[in-house]
Every structure is written in C-alpha cells, then in structure tokens.
Amino acid sequence: MTVEYEFLEQIFGPFISSKKKPREIYHYTDIHGFKGILENKAFWISHIDFLNDMNEIKYTLGLSREIMFSFCEKYGLSESETESIMRDYDMLITLYFEQEKKNCYSLSFSTNPDSNLLWSNYSKNDGYCIKLDLNKLTASFKKAGLNVIVSQVNYDITQQKKLLEPVLISMFYTIRTLNGKSVDFNEVLAKSPSDNKTEAPAADLEVILDEAIAEILQNDASAVDLEEVLKKTAEKISKEKVSATDFAEIYKELSERTYATILLGSLELVNYISIFFKDVCFAQEEEFRLAIRNIETYQCRISNGTFIPYIESKFDKKAVLGVSIGPKNNMDINLEGLRKFLKLVDIDISSDEIKKSSIPYRF
C-alpha cells in the first residue's frame, strides 16, 4: 500500500464512517462462488462500474453538484456567473470521471453475519457465508502490491454532504477565479505539479514553488480572492528569495501548478469518497467495502450476457475464520459435505465456526 493510500485512509476513513473498523467481515455467495473462492484461495474483484448498483459513483457526483450549486447561492453569485461556474464544474467532472476513466475494483462484504437480505440476494438462501479476518485478508492483497483501501459504506446523506463540503470548497474558489478566462481544463488537469520547471535558478525555485503551493493549500486555498493570494506569493518569492527570476514567470508557473493541484486533488478526493457512499435504500446491506485502485491488467467474466472486467487476488487461507450454511439448505448431509470440502481444500476451521444460519424458514 502506497503512502498516498495510507494517508487517504487515515485522514478520511474516520469521516467516511464513524463506526469502528471490524475484525471480522462476511462474504455471501452461492455454492459455485464458495467453491471457487476457497479452492483457489482467491477473490474475483469486479470493476466498480459493473456492480449491482449502477448509480454508485453518480450518486456521489450528484451530491457534489448540489454542494457546488449551494456555494454559488451562499456567496450571492448572479445567475449568469452561477451557470458559468456550474458549466465549468460539469466539464471537469466529465473530463475526470468519463473521458479519463479511473480504474477501480471493488469487493463487497457485510458486517452482519446472518442477514436475511443478503442470504436472499447473493446466495439464493441456500449458499454460504464466509467469515474472514479483515487484517489478514487486506495484508494478503497488499503483499501482492495492490493499492487497497477499506471502509464501512456510509448511507447517511447528512454526513456525506458534511464530508464533501470541505473537499469541494477550494475547487469552487479555483473555478470561480478561472471563470471567464477561456481556460482549457484539459491542459490544467494534464499539468503535473512537477511540470514546466523554471530554469533560473531551477533547483532553488523548485523547492520554493513547492513550499509556496503547500502554504496556499494549507492557509488560503479557500480564500475568495485566490488570484490575489497567488500574486502576493509570487511577489514575495521574486523580491525576497529569487530576485533574478522574473515575477511574471514565477506568477504564471505558481498559478498553473496551484490550480492543477487544487482541481486534481479535489477530484481525486471526490473519486475516493464516492467508492464508499451509497443511497440510504441500501443501508440494510451493512456493507463493508474493499477497493483497489489504479489497475490496468484485468480479465473478463460473463454474467447475464455481459462481460464483467475483474481482477483476481489470492489471499492467505488463515484469513478464513468460519463458514455458515444458508437458511434453506436443510439436507442432513450438507454439513458433513462442507467439512469434507474444507478438508479437501486445506481450510482449517474450528468445529464451532462451521454452522447453520439461525434464520427460521418453514420450507
């Protein structure tokens, strides 16, 4: 796991969900999925765009758009300025989330060990539920070099908006600063903070510019007049620290890199957060989600006449803590057959962790 994802998880994890991270998580599946997972000691992790809830990312983007519009109202912008800012915002979202699509793969679990809803939805009531050790499972994926981020899914719209507002405010002020300047957002988003280094004096200026950007982001990224902040910062650099460098050149580079850093950073955070936000209508799933980012190599499986991109990731067999049998599977030989299968695939589970669902069925 890279430092980037450790930082995101540490900083935003507690805000995405206030619930304590569980030790055990549960995966519901039918008998065929169960056999494949334990036989191969691997999960198939599907691309997030192909999950059951087709509007997951769109749900968070919808909330984000509402918040951006509320900022326009809060600061008394005119109708024409509001339309222009919202148009630029929509353009950035399209560029980042559609034209430059991010590859994210997601694996769903639940914190509920015996859910009537999940037995019905994912195992036809006669499948299996695998109890897993969260730390051992994620350690296996990280060992394979995957960028793993995990969190409870948040279904509370009030909390969701509260988290998105500070992420989006700097983006709002940056768009407002650039509004009406015929900015090519393709070029802005393509500009890395390390691009276009000034030549004189290169080494010192690079450090100073990075420090200046960090200071702006920490203290003044949400200032109403971001342009004025940038001008003052550029003047300070040119007069006090690198007087040999032209002010206009410093201001141009500082502005471009600051805009790129704010916009890209905000979009990246919205993308990260959107993985763990869902509509309240899904709250009964009590979902705990594991997501893996920036994957280019994948395979495809077939489901309901559709090709579903997925990646396969192995896990340590010690991550498996227990197995429950679905509530409708009442055959006497089922439990013994399960024990035989677990022995065959070398999964060692204590006898008290092999159990039947406690949900009563009359048929």
Side-chain angles (χ1 to χ4, degrees):
M1 190 176 189
T2 63
V3 172
E4 173 193 358
Y5 288 98
E6 288 177 348
F7 172 77
L8 287 173
E9 192 171 301
Q10 289 171 7
I11 298 300
F12 284 94
F15 292 95
I16 290 174
S17 174
S18 58
K19 295 179 181 178
K20 186 178 179 181
K21 191 180 294 184
R23 189 179 80 86
E24 295 103 8
I25 51 177
Y26 303 88
H27 186 76
Y28 293 77
T29 182
D30 62 23
I31 192 168
H32 302 290
F34 177 75
K35 181 176 183 290
I37 291 167
L38 295 193
E39 203 168 51
N40 300 307
K41 315 295 187 296
F43 276 105
W44 285 7
I45 307 174
S46 299
H47 197 291
I48 199 167
D49 288 347
F50 294 81
L51 297 177
N52 291 336
D53 176 13
M54 299 299 289
N55 293 312
E56 285 192 9
I57 303 299
K58 290 180 181 178
Y59 171 77
T60 304
L61 295 184
L63 289 181
S64 299
R65 198 178 195 282
E66 286 181 27
I67 291 168
M68 290 295 287
F69 187 80
S70 72
F71 289 156
C72 294
E73 292 184 325
K74 178 179 179 180
Y75 293 105
L77 273 59
S78 67
E79 183 177 344
S80 61
E81 189 176 8
T82 297
E83 288 178 358
S84 182
I85 286 177
M86 295 309 298
R87 185 170 55 250
D88 286 347
Y89 169 77
D90 289 339
M91 186 184 302
L92 282 166
I93 293 297
T94 298
L95 288 172
Y96 189 85
F97 285 91
E98 296 181 22
Q99 294 186 20
E100 297 294 331
K101 219 164 185 42
K102 302 298 177 183
N103 286 319
C104 179
Y105 293 79
S106 175
L107 187 58
S108 295
F109 302 90
S110 178
T111 55
N112 188 333
D114 200 9
S115 166
N116 192 20
L117 174 69
L118 298 181
W119 280 123
S120 174
N121 286 354
Y122 298 103
S123 73
K124 300 177 183 178
N125 287 315
D126 61 359
Y128 296 83
C129 175
I130 309 170
K131 179 181 179 180
L132 296 136
D133 183 302
L134 173 61
N135 290 332
K136 290 179 180 177
L137 183 66
T138 54
S140 298
F141 293 158
K142 292 173 185 178
K143 189 176 180 180
L146 299 174
N147 289 320
V148 181
I149 46 180
V150 298
S151 176
Q152 304 265 8
V153 169
N154 189 316
Y155 305 98
D156 187 321
I157 191 170
T158 302
Q159 292 180 4
Q160 292 167 351
K161 287 183 176 181
K162 187 175 181 181
L163 176 59
L164 283 167
E165 283 176 357
V167 170
L168 291 167
I169 188 64
S170 295
M171 185 178 181
F172 167 76
Y173 283 121
T174 302
I175 293 174
R176 188 179 180 187
T177 299
L178 297 174
N179 189 246
K181 296 185 178 181
S182 301
V183 175
D184 186 338
F185 284 109
N186 271 302
E187 291 184 4
V188 174
L189 295 185
K191 178 176 275 295
S192 164
S194 60
D195 288 345
N196 300 332
K197 293 180 171 56
T198 308
E199 294 182 2
D204 290 342
L205 184 58
E206 186 61 30
V207 173
I208 292 167
L209 286 171
D210 285 342
E211 290 176 348
I213 290 172
E215 184 176 349
I216 290 169
L217 292 176
Q218 289 172 9
N219 302 315
D220 297 302
S222 59
V224 175
D225 196 344
L226 178 59
E227 196 168 31
E228 187 63 30
V229 174
L230 291 169
K231 285 179 180 178
K232 288 180 179 179
T233 305
E235 287 173 358
K236 180 180 179 182
I237 294 173
S238 61
K239 290 179 180 179
E240 298 181 11
K241 297 186 178 181
V242 278
S243 55
T245 307
D246 182 69
F247 164 77
E249 185 178 0
I250 292 175
Y251 175 69
K252 180 176 183 294
E253 182 171 353
L254 181 62
S255 299
E256 289 177 349
R257 288 171 56 182
T258 302
Y259 298 147
T261 300
I262 292 174
L263 294 178
L264 281 168
S266 298
L267 289 166
E268 174 66 14
L269 288 174
V270 170
N271 188 17
Y272 169 78
I273 291 168
S274 69
I275 298 168
F276 302 104
F277 278 7
K278 292 181 74 170
D279 191 281
V280 67
C281 67
F282 295 97
Q284 287 184 322
E285 294 180 349
E286 301 174 72
E287 184 178 351
F288 188 91
R289 178 166 286 184
L290 182 152
I292 297 173
R293 302 279 304 278
N294 299 336
I295 299 294
E296 300 299 332
T297 303
Y298 62 90
Q299 302 176 66
C300 280
R301 60 184 175 86
I302 296 173
S303 177
N304 298 323
T306 302
F307 289 104
I308 308 293
Y310 74 94
I311 59 173
E312 181 179 76
S313 188
K314 300 281 187 180
F315 61 84
D316 184 346
K317 64 181 182 181
K318 292 180 181 178
V320 179
L321 301 177
V323 176
S324 294
I325 304 168
K328 283 181 67 175
N329 200 330
N330 292 316
M331 291 185 295
D332 293 338
I333 61 172
N334 182 265
L335 193 59
E336 185 57 30
L338 173 59
R339 289 195 176 100
K340 292 288 187 184
F341 172 71
L342 292 174
K343 182 177 180 180
L344 180 66
V345 297
D346 195 27
I347 298 290
D348 185 17
I349 301 174
S350 62
S351 59
D352 61 336
E353 288 291 354
I354 301 174
K355 58 187 72 174
K356 278 274 296 165
S357 166
S358 61
I359 296 173
Y361 274 77
R362 297 182 191 178
F363 49 88

